[in-house]
Amino acid sequence: MTKIMEWLEARAPGFNQLSPDEKSAIADFSLLWSLFEARVLSTNGSASAICNAVDTWQKAGVLDTAFLDEALAYLRQRYFANGEFTYHFDHLHLRNNDREPLVRAVINGSDNDLRSRVAAVLIIVFRYRNNLFHGVKWQYKLAGQLGNFTTANAVLMKVLERHGALADG
């Protein structure tokens, strides 16, 4: 265990109660998001930048959602149940410029457009980023986040493999 992890275990509320998998998923997310924002969003993380990237992929004919189907199924199950949005949805803390109507329509299944699905999944991952980096997730002591960060990490890796220009160094 690193000195930083030891320090967090001793001082950060709830951190010592997280499993090793939870801690790894959160730490991995920080690195993956940073690479994603650098390589895909030109260091400008926002819902608008995400939508612009998705539009670029669509215009280039390389937009695909098959690799996101599992993630979308997870997000729909987490945020929409029994014909209603779950309490988890409000905890995304979507802001006015986060395209909430688009995200809602994809999550409730009323919009299954290819572009909309990719954008909505990435906007939710963006909200995980904001909620983690701006401290909101600490209000829950990072508890109950393994599925979110595992899903987000898988999405980020798949998008980076397809659109991250990783071979360019």
Side-chain angles (χ1 to χ4, degrees), residues 5-17 138 141-142:
M5 287 293 186
E6 289 174 4
W7 185 91
L8 287 167
E9 289 251 343
R11 291 172 181 82
F15 195 80
N16 64 348
Q17 296 174 6
W138 282 100
K141 300 178 183 171
L142 300 175

Side-chain angles (χ1 to χ4, degrees), residues 30-52:
S30 299
L31 292 169
L32 285 168
W33 177 267
S34 178
L35 181 60
F36 171 80
E37 191 167 335
R39 290 301 199 167
V40 176
L41 303 179
S42 301
T43 71
N44 181 25
S46 68
S48 179
I50 288 168
C51 290
N52 289 341

Side-chain angles (χ1 to χ4, degrees), residues 18 92 99:
L18 297 175
L92 288 171
R99 316 275 170 104

Side-chain angles (χ1 to χ4, degrees), residues 15-26:
F15 195 80
N16 64 348
Q17 296 174 6
L18 297 175
S19 72
D21 286 344
E22 289 171 311
K23 292 172 190 170
S24 292
I26 293 165

Side-chain angles (χ1 to χ4, degrees), residues 119-136:
V121 168
L122 290 173
I123 289 169
I124 290 172
V125 171
F126 173 64
R127 292 310 310 155
Y128 292 169
R129 173 256 188 224
N130 284 357
N131 292 341
L132 176 66
F133 294 167
H134 295 291
V136 174

Side-chain angles (χ1 to χ4, degrees), residues 22-117:
E22 289 171 311
K23 292 172 190 170
S24 292
I26 293 165
D28 294 346
F29 177 79
S30 299
L31 292 169
L32 285 168
W33 177 267
S34 178
L35 181 60
F36 171 80
E37 191 167 335
R39 290 301 199 167
V40 176
L41 303 179
S42 301
T43 71
N44 181 25
S46 68
S48 179
I50 288 168
C51 290
N52 289 341
V54 173
D55 289 343
T56 299
W57 303 331
Q58 187 172 40
K59 287 175 189 166
V62 296
L63 187 60
D64 174 27
T65 60
F67 70 97
L68 294 179
D69 287 347
E70 187 176 327
L72 181 56
Y74 169 82
L75 296 172
R76 283 178 168 163
Q77 172 271 321
R78 180 169 177 82
Y79 297 116
F80 194 78
N82 302 319
E84 295 182 7
F85 287 92
T86 67
Y87 73 97
H88 293 295
F89 188 83
D90 289 335
H91 291 271
L92 288 171
H93 301 284
L94 289 159
R95 302 164 305 164
N96 291 336
N97 55 350
D98 287 333
R99 316 275 170 104
E100 184 172 346
L102 168 82
V103 174
R104 281 184 176 276
V106 168
I107 294 302
N108 73 16
S110 64
D111 182 352
N112 280 307
D113 177 72
L114 181 69
R115 180 220 178 260
S116 297
R117 290 190 318 241

